[in-house]
Amino acid sequence: MLQTGRRSLAFRALANGQRTPVAPKRRTFHQTQIAANALSLPATSAASTSASASSRTAADDFSAKIRRQKLDELVYALDRERVDSGEVWSRYIALLEYTHYEPLPAALHRHVLRCCTPPPQAVRNAYVKSLQVKALGRDGDAPQHPYEKRFTKVLEQLRATGAYLTRQEYLALLQQYAAVGAHVAAARTLAELRDYVAAVSSRGATGAESIQRAGEARSLTREYALVLQALSFRLSLPCSDEVREPRQKACAQLAALVIDALSRRRGAMPPVCRDLALRVLKD
C-alpha cells in the first residue's frame, strides 16, 4: 500500500493534536497575621488537594494513553495489506465510543468509509446468495445496502467535522450501491455529487484550475453508468408479480432522467451509458 507509514503518521499526528485539557492549578492563599485565623485550613487539606490534583493528572494521562492505543489499532487495521472490513468497523466504533464521539480528522473518516465494507463484488455475491424470492414483497423492492447503517454512521461523523465528501467517496458509495441494485440510494448519491461538482466549479478559480474543474463537471460518465448498472441489476432480480410492474415503471422513469442529464452534455452519449440505458428501458 502506497505511503502507508506516512499516512499512518499523519492520522496519528492529526488525532493526537487534540490534547486533553490540563487540570487547573490549585489556588494558594497568602495569609497575613490578621487573616490567618480566618483562612486557616485543617492540617490535612493541603495534602488532600495535592492528592486530588495528582489523581486527576494520572487519570488524564491514562485516558490519553488508551485513546492513542485505540487510534493505533484503527490505523493498523486500515493499513494492513488485506484490509478486514469487520476489524476496521469494530476498531472505529471502539474509538468513537471511548472518545464520546469527539471530532476526529476528516481524512480518517474518509479512509474508514472506503474500508468499512467488503469490496463491491464480494458484497454482491453475498447479497445474491442470501436473496430469497419468497422474501421479496412490496417493501423489499427498494432494498437498503447491507452496510447502509455503516455508511450513515461514518457520513454523520465526517460531516460533523465540517468537511464534505469528495468525488472519490461518492464514487466508492456508487460502486457499492450498484453492486446490490440499490437504485434509489444510487440516484440520491449521484444528485449529491452533481451538487458538489457544481459548487466546486462555481468557486473562484483561474487558469488551469478552472479548466480542470470544468472538465470534472462534465466527466461524470462513470458515475452515471453506475446508477444505470444499479437499475439494470435491480430489474434482473426475481420478484413477485405484484412488484414487477411498479418496479419496471420506477426504473424506467429514473433511467429517463439519467438519459436526459447525459443528453444535455456536450458530445455524444458514452456507449457504455447508452447500452445500459437501452437495457433498462427494454426490461
Side-chain angles (χ1 to χ4, degrees), residues 9-276:
L9 291 174
F11 286 152
R12 291 187 180 91
L14 284 169
N16 290 329
Q18 302 169 356
R19 299 295 186 185
T20 305
V22 179
K25 294 183 178 179
R26 180 168 53 88
R27 290 186 59 187
T28 58
F29 294 97
H30 299 283
Q31 299 181 357
T32 63
Q33 291 182 353
I34 298 176
N37 294 332
L39 294 176
S40 61
L41 299 173
T44 58
S45 295
S48 176
T49 304
S50 177
S52 177
S54 299
S55 177
R56 287 196 301 269
T57 301
D60 290 342
D61 290 344
F62 179 76
S63 178
K65 179 180 179 181
I66 297 301
R67 182 184 185 279
R68 287 193 298 270
Q69 177 183 335
K70 292 188 177 297
L71 174 63
D72 288 343
E73 290 172 347
L74 174 58
V75 172
Y76 174 76
L78 289 167
D79 284 347
R80 293 178 61 177
E81 184 175 354
R82 290 187 177 182
V83 177
D84 183 337
S85 60
E87 181 185 8
V88 168
W89 185 247
S90 64
R91 301 297 188 192
Y92 179 68
I93 293 299
L95 177 60
L96 289 178
E97 291 181 345
Y98 186 79
T99 59
H100 301 288
Y101 290 82
E102 71 175 28
L104 296 171
L108 188 63
H109 294 299
R110 296 185 199 282
H111 201 175
V112 170
L113 182 64
R114 293 191 291 268
C115 298
C116 68
T117 64
Q121 188 59 51
V123 173
R124 170 175 286 193
N125 293 340
Y127 177 72
V128 170
K129 288 181 181 179
S130 64
L131 195 62
Q132 297 183 10
V133 177
K134 63 180 181 180
L136 288 177
R138 188 175 300 278
D139 295 334
D141 194 48
Q144 282 191 331
H145 189 280
Y147 297 98
E148 182 69 26
K149 291 183 179 179
R150 294 188 182 185
F151 296 151
T152 301
K153 173 71 75 175
V154 180
L155 292 176
E156 286 177 352
Q157 297 305 309
L158 175 62
R159 286 165 175 154
T161 67
Y164 297 91
L165 291 177
T166 66
R167 187 177 178 185
Q168 286 71 28
E169 281 79 57
Y170 281 116
L171 182 59
L173 288 172
L174 284 169
Q175 289 172 334
Q176 288 284 345
Y177 291 140
V180 297
H183 59 294
V184 175
R188 182 183 66 246
T189 302
L190 178 61
E192 291 181 7
L193 173 58
R194 292 179 62 186
D195 292 341
Y196 162 77
V197 172
V200 170
S201 301
S202 64
R203 294 174 188 168
T206 59
E209 186 179 6
S210 63
I211 294 175
Q212 179 180 359
R213 289 177 178 176
E216 185 178 66
R218 295 193 300 268
S219 62
L220 297 179
T221 300
R222 188 176 183 185
E223 288 80 359
Y224 280 109
L226 285 169
V227 175
L228 292 171
Q229 286 179 25
L231 289 168
S232 179
F233 184 66
R234 177 101 305 261
L235 289 172
S236 70
L237 294 176
C239 65
S240 63
D241 294 337
E242 181 184 8
V243 169
R244 182 173 292 105
E245 185 175 351
R247 173 197 289 183
Q248 292 174 340
K249 182 178 180 180
C251 288
Q253 290 175 344
L254 185 52
L257 292 175
V258 173
I259 294 171
D260 181 66
L262 286 169
S263 64
R264 295 175 183 273
R265 306 190 317 170
R266 295 181 181 178
M269 182 182 299
V272 63
C273 293
R274 183 183 63 248
D275 294 344
L276 285 168

